[in-house]
Amino acid sequence: KEKIVSLLKANPGYDLVITGHSLGAGAAGLLALKLKSERLLAKADPALADVDIRCFAFAPPPVYLCENDKKSVMDDAMKSTYAFIHENDCVPFCSTDSIRRIARVVDDVDAATNVIEGPLMAIGKKDITPEIKDKVFDESELPFAPDAEKLAIPAPYAIWMRHVNVDEYGRPMYNAMFCRPQGENGEAGTNDLNLMIDKDMIPDHMNPKYERAITSIAEQMKGKNGIDGYVFPPIAN
């Protein structure tokens, strides 16, 4: 704390940027929320009241649950937090609630199959029945369990980067979707999605994958490698 305060005072005009990957991203998001919502820099030294605090969270797990009476304060505090998800990375969807949901699916499918037909369905040698599909895509809520609340990524939105093409050098190109981390007003958030059990769920979590995806999007926005770049839509009269 003392070191950060000292550096910020010695470098007026600089922002405080907090970043992390995986569990470190979740911690970074929560730290940024605490610093901003409680105005801890201003309390440490009034000269730091105007220091902008920004957070860049790469592959953050859902670690945030807001009390209703603090929602407006916390929403304002997280405006400068930017969360990124790469492809089918499992960590941004991994919480006690999502593990409970995937466990329910496994139990229900096991109960509806036997030791012969289950493996045959898994390898594509037997058609999956409509009954099994209904169990896999069951979106009903689970009964409440202590310490299993539906947590969310601590950011106003998550930038979900998906592979769509390759560039002239054979490198993967990505687009980006802006997604709600938490369901609101009947609309689903990323914390409502089940874990995607996929062979790339761990490789997609690795730092180099995030670096390539973000570089690809930045190059497209800047118009590099033959791309037109981002063009703002015309303003309606």
Side-chain angles (χ1 to χ4, degrees):
K1 172 184 172 181
E2 290 76 14
K3 183 68 171 179
I4 292 173
V5 169
S6 175
L7 286 171
L8 288 172
K9 289 180 66 177
N11 296 276
Y14 276 69
D15 299 338
L16 175 60
V17 177
I18 306 169
T19 188
H21 173 260
S22 195
L23 184 58
L30 293 176
L31 177 59
L33 275 181
K34 184 174 181 65
L35 287 171
K36 296 188 74 172
S37 65
E38 299 180 15
R39 296 185 54 81
L40 295 182
L41 286 182
K43 291 177 181 178
D45 192 305
L48 303 180
D50 294 328
V51 171
D52 188 22
I53 300 171
R54 292 182 290 153
C55 176
F56 295 87
F58 303 96
V63 294
Y64 171 68
L65 181 66
C66 181
E67 299 175 7
N68 289 333
D69 61 340
K70 296 182 179 179
K71 187 176 186 307
S72 61
V73 174
M74 302 308 281
D75 284 352
D76 185 65
M78 69 170 66
K79 284 181 178 178
S80 296
T81 295
Y82 309 94
F84 298 85
I85 302 172
H86 171 259
E87 284 284 4
N88 292 328
D89 182 353
C90 62
V91 171
F93 306 95
C94 193
S95 66
T96 302
D97 175 71
S98 65
I99 296 298
R100 288 182 70 213
R101 281 186 274 134
I102 201 69
R104 177 183 64 181
V105 171
V106 171
D107 287 344
D108 288 350
V109 170
D110 278 349
T113 58
N114 58 49
V115 295
I116 302 298
E117 64 182 7
L120 290 175
M121 289 181 186
I123 63 174
K125 296 298 185 180
K126 180 178 175 58
D127 290 339
I128 299 174
T129 65
E131 178 191 10
I132 297 298
K133 292 180 181 179
D134 289 342
K135 294 181 182 299
V136 170
F137 294 104
D138 181 9
E139 296 182 355
S140 61
E141 294 290 335
L142 290 166
F144 174 79
D147 300 321
E149 290 84 357
K150 189 174 287 187
L151 303 180
I153 293 170
Y157 51 82
I159 303 169
W160 197 346
M161 304 176 293
R162 308 305 300 264
H163 180 206
V164 293
N165 208 334
V166 294
D167 66 14
E168 59 184 329
Y169 303 109
R171 302 175 304 175
M173 293 177 64
Y174 292 78
N175 67 7
M177 300 183 294
F178 287 73
C179 307
R180 283 180 299 274
Q182 186 164 358
E184 188 173 351
N185 299 324
E187 299 290 341
T190 58
N191 66 336
D192 292 305
L193 302 179
N194 283 334
L195 280 167
M196 173 68 77
I197 305 302
D198 181 86
K199 63 182 178 63
D200 293 321
M201 59 191 288
I202 301 301
D204 282 346
H205 180 65
M206 299 297 106
N207 285 331
K209 297 291 186 75
Y210 275 83
E211 182 178 1
R212 174 58 210 153
I214 291 171
T215 298
S216 167
I217 292 168
E219 288 177 343
Q220 292 175 69
M221 293 182 70
K222 293 177 180 177
K224 293 186 176 180
N225 297 327
I227 302 299
D228 291 335
Y230 184 78
V231 179
F232 284 95
I235 299 174
N237 294 326

